[in-house]
Amino acid sequence: MNLGLVQMKDQERMDRLTAQCAVQPGLGKVYSQILLQSHTSAEFYLKDMFPSLVGKTFGKARRSFDQAVLCGVMDAGTGQAHLNPADSCVLTDQHRLVFLSSTAKIQPSKQAMSKISLERSASTAVATDAPAHESSEVRCKKHVVVIGWDVDQTVEGLLKGLGDFAPDDSSITIISPEKPGDFLEENGACHCRHLEGSIASRQVLLQAGVAEADAVILRMPLQSLAAADADAQVVSSLVHLQDLASHSNRAEPLHVVAPVNHPRTLELVNFVTKQSCSRAVTGQHVIGAVKAVTGDPQYASGDSGMSRGQDGSVALNVDVLLPDELLSGLLTQVSVQPELLSVMNDLFDAEGVEIYLRDPSRYSISQDQASPVSFADVAEAARARKETALGYLLQDGTVLTAPHADHKQALKAGDQIIAFANYA
C-alpha cells in the first residue's frame, strides 16, 4: 500500500489561510468552493499528457481547453507539481497536467480559446514572455485585530501569515488574557502588540482599535474548549463587534474572519444579528447586520446568508471558516487522486503559489456592465501579469470557478478576479 502524507500542520496551515482571508475579504469562500465538492463547484484534476500537446508550450496548451483551466504541470518522474508555470514552459511526455474544472471529462479542443479577441491577443503576445515583475500597485497598510488566543498553541503561524500577506507597515494587535510565549513585536514588515485583557470587555476592544480596524480575526481556542462552547464565544463576539462597528463612523463594513466548528453556527449567527437589528433602532440610528460568507452549498450564492438592518446597512462582513470541513475536502480530493498531494502541498506551502483576489483594473479590464468580457480574454490578460485566472468572486458573494472560455461576464465595481500568483 502506497500512503502519501499531506505535509501540513493542520493548525499552522489554517492560521495561514485565516491570515489570507483577513487581508483579502471573501477568500475563505473561494477556498471553500474549491475544496468542498458540490455539483456546481470546480475542483482539481490531474491528467496524463495528451499526445497532441507534447512539444507545445504551456501557453499554447492552456488555450486548448474551453471547459477547464490548465493551471499547472507535474513532473511524472518526481511527482513534483508546479502551479502557474511560465507560458514558455515546453511540455514533454514526462509532464502531467493540473486542471481546475467542474467536470472530470477534460479533452483538448481545436476550437477552444479561438474566440480570444485579436486586439487582446496582440497586446499580450509580448507581455506574457516578458520577465516577471512585481506589482507596482499601491497597497495601503492595514490594522488587524486578533481576538482571543489559546495559550497552549503557537502564535507563529498566524503572525507569519499576516506578515507575508499584509502590506508593509501594517499593524497587528492580539487581545488575550495572557501573552503568547512566542509573541514577537516585529513580524517581517508588520508591527505587533499584545493587549492583555478579557476578549468580552468593551473597553479592551475599543482600546485595541476594533472599531477602526480593517479586519478582525476571532481566534477562539477551538481545540481546548468544547466545540459548542467555542462557537458560542464566536457568536457572542460577533454581537459585540456588530455593536461597536454600528456605533462607529465607519464608511465600510468591518471585515471579520471567524473559524467555527459547526456549519449550523452560521444559522445562529444570522438569527442573533437579525434579532439585534429588530431591537436596536434608537432614534435615526440602526444597527446593521452581518453579511456571512461561507462555502457551505446551502449559503453559496448571492445574498443568502446575509441579514441586514432596517436601513439596509451591513455592519459586519464575515468570512466563516470551517477548518474540519476544509481539511476533509482536501483529503477527499487527495484520496480520489493521490497524486494531487503535491498540488495541495504547493497550494498551502508558504513558498508556493497562492490564490489572490485581483481587481479587474490590474489587468486593464473594463468594469463597464455594458461591455461584458469573455473568460478567454480575462485569462490572456492575467497571463500578461504572470498569473493564472481561475474565475470570479462577484460583489454579491457569488463565486464562479473555471467558467467556460466563452462565458461572458459584465464586471462591475466590487467584482474581483480569482487568480494564482507568486506575489501580492
Side-chain angles (χ1 to χ4, degrees), residues 311-367:
D311 64 348
S313 62
V314 178
L316 305 182
N317 187 358
V318 186
D319 264 345
V320 179
L321 301 181
L322 298 164
D324 291 342
E325 292 202 359
L326 289 173
L327 181 60
S328 176
L330 183 154
L331 294 177
T332 297
Q333 291 193 37
V334 171
S335 67
V336 174
Q337 291 191 93
E339 298 88 349
L340 281 177
L341 179 64
S342 178
V343 175
M344 296 302 182
N345 282 334
D346 189 27
L347 183 60
F348 286 94
D349 190 339
E351 303 302 323
V353 167
E354 309 283 358
I355 295 179
Y356 290 95
L357 301 178
R358 301 303 202 191
D359 190 276
S361 62
R362 176 183 178 84
Y363 306 132
S364 301
I365 293 175
S366 171
Q367 290 175 278

Side-chain angles (χ1 to χ4, degrees), residues 78-245:
T78 64
Q80 183 63 42
H82 182 197
L83 298 176
N84 192 43
D87 265 358
S88 58
C89 172
V90 178
L91 302 180
T92 72
D93 57 4
Q94 291 300 304
H95 281 130
R96 302 186 74 189
L97 303 178
V98 182
F99 293 93
L100 183 67
S101 174
S102 57
T103 175
K105 298 178 180 179
I106 302 172
Q107 291 289 335
S109 167
K110 292 182 179 180
Q111 287 73 39
M113 306 295 274
S114 63
K115 297 181 181 179
I116 299 173
S117 68
L118 294 177
E119 180 180 354
R120 174 67 74 183
S121 296
S123 67
T124 60
V126 176
T128 52
D129 287 327
H133 60 282
E134 296 199 6
S135 171
S136 60
E137 298 170 9
V138 177
R139 302 178 66 223
C140 298
K141 62 183 181 181
K142 293 182 178 293
H143 177 209
V144 180
V145 178
V146 181
I147 298 179
W149 197 265
D150 191 332
V151 294
D152 295 328
Q153 295 180 344
T154 176
V155 73
E156 181 181 3
L158 182 60
L159 290 184
K160 186 177 186 305
L162 289 171
D164 288 343
F165 297 113
D168 290 351
D169 206 30
S170 293
S171 60
I172 305 166
T173 300
I174 295 180
I175 304 173
S176 64
E178 298 180 39
K179 189 174 186 177
D182 57 346
F183 178 84
L184 296 175
E185 292 187 357
E186 297 297 327
N187 178 51
C190 294
H191 311 287
C192 307
R193 69 165 177 152
H194 176 260
L195 191 58
E196 184 175 326
S198 169
I199 62 175
S201 168
R202 184 183 183 88
Q203 181 179 355
V204 171
L205 294 176
L206 288 173
Q207 186 179 350
V210 164
E212 300 81 29
D214 295 289
V216 171
I217 297 173
L218 297 182
R219 186 61 176 79
M220 303 307 172
L222 298 183
Q223 303 302 321
S224 59
L225 285 179
D229 292 339
D231 282 7
Q233 280 197 9
V234 169
V235 174
S236 176
S237 294
L238 286 174
V239 173
H240 284 300
L241 293 175
Q242 176 183 304
D243 181 57
L244 289 173

